[in-house]
Amino acid sequence: MVRTPPEGGIEVQTDALAGAPALPRPRAVGLRRVLALAVVPVYLGLVVSYVLLARGTGTPTSVLSEDGTIFPGFAVLAATGSLIALRRPGNALGWVMAGTAVLIAAGATGDAYAAWVMTTRGQPDALAVVGAWLQSWYWYLLLWLLFVAVPLLFPDGRLLSRRWRIPVLLSLAGTVASAVLGGLTGTLTGQDVDYRIANPIGIAGFPPVEDSPAFPALGALLALGILTAVAAVVVRFRRSRGDERQQMKWFVFAVWPLVLFPVVDFLPSVVGSVVFAWLVLAVPVAIAIAVLRYRLDGIDVVINRTLVYAVLTLLVVGGYVLVVGYLGAAFAGRGDLTVSLVATGLIAVVFAPLRVRVQRGVDRLLYGQRAEPYAALSRLGQRLEAAPAPDEVLPTIVRTVREALRLPYVAIAVPDDDRLMAAAGEPVPAPVRLPLLYRNEEVGTLLLGPRAGETGFSAADRRLLSDLARHAGVAVSAVRLTADLQRSRELLVGAREEERRRLRRDLHDGLGAQLAGLTVQVGVLRGLIGRDPAAAEELAGELRQELRTAIADIRRLVQGLRPPALDELGLTGALQRLAERAGGEGITITVEADDIPPLPAAVEVAVYRIVSEALTNVLRHAAARACTVRLAVEPSELVVTVTDDGAGFAPGSHGVGLASMRERAEEMGGTCTVSPGPGSGTVVRAWVPR
């Protein structure tokens, strides 16, 4: 903190960091802590008071009654709110939960006290009037806190943005108006015990809120708040990532039984009681786990098991009721025991296969086909087989993997520079990388975005991904080979056209011009023979020299198409002549060759050009004293090795000569490598199919 004296000489404290929030005062922190610690004792004291007062008036309070579910559930809500307020005092959610629990206990206790006073004394005292007055309006605020405030503030205690304030304030205004109207009711009545107490601040003859003409509009505002809360939960769930998604999963997991409320009247009464008990008990526990971030990684297993057994319970109970009803009608008079035994046997027979099917359906809903690798591989194979063009193969792979595992993002990238070849879904910041191999060579990289709320993949996911990666590696290799083939075709066509253009230029501009000039000179020579024999003789000598030049140009063009030495001396003899011409002072070039069988003309030309380019590099850059050219014949290919003892080769070097050697080898379906020698120098090795 920095003290700055303003005008007037009074010193005030300002924060040293611009924009940093001021620290809470110790007195405020102590007050918050005291309030948070007082929530549970106050709640329990009010509940105990309610039970004693209710017994005094004969109101049932056993565990089988509604109070037996409400008060334990709100006790958990009070404890959860108190714990959140202690651990996260800046989170408004904890204070809302704690206030809600205290409010319901205070309202019920106030109503019970007013009923006890009116039952035992017949005349209300001041505290009974306050309790009855609180009972007349607290339910509206309670509903707003539970169904609007808690979903809107979960999990960080703040609204999503300022835009959400308008519907929230409208619903709060409707709730406050309902509470005010309830507090102005002329006659205060009890909830469980029928008593009548005049409201000292009420309006004579003013009806309860539910009988007021404004009640539909106020109810609509409350409904607006509830819909806003539902929308906020949906938006938060869709936007959430990482731990926040896990928090939202806990909340949704706790409130999912709400979907049964529209049909709860058509179900057995026990179902409604179970749903109500689940909500009042599970919601505060789930909120505590989510907000306090305790064991977030276990939610998927909990959701999975809960869904399985919830669906099984509904199916078994529904099936049992149907079977008992049908058999009871079909075998009337046989006795309930016989019908029950038959129904139980039928349910037991179908339970095991039913559980397997339900578990499979839930697993597929949450995790895709990770538990069915054969089905996922079969789908991938079918889609690849139906792919209309090579360009659709990689998009088909990423879509299939994404659907099979319910992933948000899948892509295939080039292993060297991460250039995307195909992608599906929205990119994620740090995808999981899985290499795609073919013949132990990495042909691509599979980029995978984990499911929302997860940071990695389970063992089952990895097993399925490894199986899919093997098939995808083959497909990616095939796509790359197809692309390389297409590129090679384009290069061959381009090289052929370039060669034709060069030949046309050489024939037209060089040899053609020479022959045209010779034609003119022959005409001049013909005229000089009779008139000036000496000039004709001189011109004939010039024509002879021009013809020799033309013949040399023709030979040069022919050698450019195919070295004549290959036809005259064979491959080994042509390389030996090339070595003799290239060798000179300071370097010795040796050619070693096996017994070379007849080779296709294209192979001979490729080998000759590779050796010629390698020797050129040795003479220009290596400063070598010895160089060896070795030809080895293998069953399916010819291995060409050019070794020198020069300055060596720098890894990563690129040049026109190196690229030319590689391209000539690849054009024949072979490979060419350039690497440092064992001691010094460079080794050029090419494998060319025979």
Side-chain angles (χ1 to χ4, degrees):
M1 304 292 289
V2 178
R3 294 182 179 270
T4 58
E7 296 182 8
I10 301 175
E11 290 187 348
V12 296
Q13 292 186 349
T14 59
D15 218 318
L17 296 177
L23 296 176
R25 297 178 180 178
R27 181 178 299 178
V29 174
L31 180 60
R32 289 181 181 180
R33 185 173 181 83
V34 170
L35 291 176
L37 291 173
V39 169
V40 174
V42 169
Y43 176 83
L44 294 178
L46 290 172
V47 170
V48 171
S49 301
Y50 168 79
V51 172
L52 295 176
L53 292 170
R55 288 185 176 180
T57 58
T59 304
T61 58
S62 66
V63 295
L64 299 178
S65 67
E66 190 179 64
D67 298 336
T69 304
I70 290 179
F71 287 125
F74 277 88
V76 178
L77 192 74
T80 302
S82 174
L83 185 60
I84 295 175
L86 284 172
R87 294 280 299 275
R88 309 284 167 81
N91 191 331
L93 181 63
W95 300 105
V96 169
M97 295 172 63
T100 303
V102 172
L103 179 62
I104 190 173
T109 304
D111 178 51
Y113 180 78
W116 179 78
V117 168
M118 296 300 294
T119 302
T120 58
R121 303 177 184 175
Q123 293 293 329
D125 57 14
L127 189 59
V129 173
V130 173
W133 177 76
L134 180 64
Q135 140 70 19
S136 68
W137 59 265
Y138 85 101
W139 271 104
Y140 308 108
L141 182 58
L142 182 71
L143 292 176
W144 188 87
L145 291 173
L146 280 177
F147 295 103
V148 180
V150 170
L152 280 170
L153 297 177
F154 180 84
D156 55 7
R158 297 188 298 270
L159 296 178
L160 282 169
S161 66
R162 295 178 180 269
R163 293 178 297 179
W164 294 80
R165 292 182 178 181
I166 296 177
V168 174
L169 291 176
L170 287 176
S171 64
L172 179 59
T175 301
V176 172
S178 299
V180 170
L181 292 178
L184 296 177
T185 302
T187 301
L188 304 175
T189 59
Q191 181 179 6
D192 296 324
V193 177
D194 187 12
Y195 62 79
R196 298 287 188 275
I197 298 177
N199 187 356
I201 63 172
I203 301 174
F206 199 81
V209 179
E210 54 270 18
D211 298 331
S212 172
F215 182 73
L218 299 177
L221 291 177
L222 178 62
L224 173 64
I226 295 175
L227 293 177
T228 303
V230 173
V233 171
V234 173
V235 173
R236 283 187 190 270
F237 189 87
R238 295 186 61 181
R239 294 180 180 177
S240 59
R241 296 292 185 273
D243 288 344
E244 187 180 0
R245 172 57 65 91
Q246 294 292 82
Q247 292 175 329
M248 297 307 300
K249 283 184 178 180
W250 277 108
F251 188 77
V252 174
F253 167 69
V255 302
W256 73 266
L258 286 173
V259 300
L260 298 177
F261 265 92
V263 297
V264 72
D265 293 336
F266 304 97
L267 299 175
S269 59
V270 66
V271 175
S273 300
V274 170
V275 169
F276 183 80
W278 169 272
L279 289 174
V280 297
L281 292 173
V283 170
V285 173
I287 292 176
I289 294 174
V291 174
L292 301 176
R293 299 176 64 181
Y294 173 67
R295 296 184 63 181
L296 285 175
D297 55 341
I299 181 61
D300 285 333
V301 177
V302 176
I303 292 177
N304 187 304
R305 296 293 182 264
T306 303
L307 287 176
V308 170
Y309 290 108
V311 173
L312 279 176
T313 302
L314 291 176
L315 292 177
V316 169
V317 172
Y320 184 83
V321 172
L322 291 177
V323 171
V324 169
Y326 174 77
L327 293 179
F331 301 100
R334 297 290 183 90
D336 293 338
L337 179 61
T338 303
V339 173
S340 299
L341 290 176
V342 174
T344 303
L346 291 176
I347 295 300
V349 169
V350 302
F351 180 81
L354 184 63
R355 180 192 175 280
V356 172
R357 290 182 177 274
V358 172
Q359 181 71 65
R360 187 180 303 167
V362 172
D363 287 342
R364 184 175 297 179
L365 175 66
L366 295 178
Y367 312 115
Q369 292 181 299
R370 76 176 186 185
E372 302 173 293
Y374 176 78
L377 294 175
S378 176
R379 176 191 292 187
L380 178 60
Q382 292 174 358
R383 292 190 174 182
L384 290 178
E385 183 179 358
D391 295 342
E392 292 295 325
V393 172
L394 297 186
T396 299
I397 292 175
V398 297
R399 285 197 302 267
T400 304
V401 174
R402 182 169 179 257
E403 294 172 3
L405 287 172
R406 297 287 193 271
L407 301 179
Y409 177 69
V410 178
I412 295 177
V414 177
D416 298 331
D417 55 4
D418 279 350
R419 178 170 47 86
L420 294 183
M421 304 168 67
E426 294 294 330
V428 296
V432 178
R433 307 172 67 88
L434 183 66
L436 300 177
L437 304 178
Y438 179 69
R439 293 184 177 179
N440 294 327
E441 178 185 357
E442 187 174 352
V443 296
T445 302
L446 191 62
L447 306 179
L448 304 162
R451 302 178 190 92
E454 299 179 357
T455 58
F457 293 100
S458 65
D461 290 331
R462 290 193 294 269
R463 284 194 298 270
L464 177 56
L465 284 172
S466 63
D467 292 336
L468 292 173
R470 282 194 292 270
H471 291 75
V474 177
V476 172
S477 176
V479 171
R480 292 186 61 180
L481 289 176
T482 303
D484 292 342
L485 177 60
Q486 180 63 28
R487 186 165 54 252
S488 299
R489 287 176 177 174
E490 294 173 357
L491 291 175
L492 287 175
V493 171
R496 182 186 66 189
E497 295 302 322
E498 288 293 332
E499 188 70 13
R500 286 180 176 179
R501 183 165 60 179
R502 183 185 67 82
L503 289 174
R504 178 185 178 278
R505 183 176 61 249
D506 291 344
L507 291 174
H508 181 272
D509 298 340
L511 186 59
Q514 287 180 338
L515 294 178
L518 289 174
T519 302
V520 174
Q521 289 179 336
V522 168
V524 175
L525 177 62
R526 183 177 180 181
L528 291 175
I529 291 176
R531 292 182 293 114
D532 190 352
E537 181 67 22
E538 183 180 357
L539 183 57
E542 294 177 1
L543 286 175
R544 184 177 183 182
Q545 184 61 36
E546 291 288 342
L547 287 173
R548 288 176 178 174
T549 304
I551 292 172
D553 290 341
I554 293 174
R555 287 177 177 173
R556 180 179 57 81
L557 292 174
V558 171
Q559 289 177 358
L561 297 175
R562 176 179 171 82
L566 291 175
D567 296 327
E568 298 171 0
L569 305 174
L571 179 59
T572 303
L575 294 179
Q576 289 175 346
R577 176 177 292 183
L578 180 63
E580 293 173 359
R581 292 177 179 175
E585 296 182 0
I587 184 170
T588 301
I589 301 176
T590 305
V591 177
E592 301 176 358
D594 296 340
D595 186 11
I596 305 298
L599 298 173
V603 174
E604 291 181 341
V605 173
V607 172
Y608 185 88
R609 300 298 187 195
I610 292 173
V611 174
S612 176
E613 190 64 46
L615 293 179
T616 301
N617 289 337
V618 171
L619 296 175
R620 290 181 179 176
H621 310 294
R625 292 175 299 174
C627 179
T628 302
V629 179
R630 171 69 180 167
L631 299 182
V633 179
E634 295 187 358
S636 61
E637 58 191 3
L638 184 66
V639 182
V640 182
T641 307
V642 180
T643 308
D644 68 77
D645 61 354
F649 169 75
S653 299
H654 300 281
V656 177
L658 301 179
S660 175
M661 289 188 291
R662 291 192 180 98
E663 288 177 1
R664 290 187 181 276
E666 291 173 358
E667 286 176 358
M668 304 306 301
T671 57
C672 179
T673 62
V674 182
S675 60
S680 62
T682 305
V683 177
V684 177
R685 184 172 286 107
W687 292 264
V688 182
R690 293 168 50 186

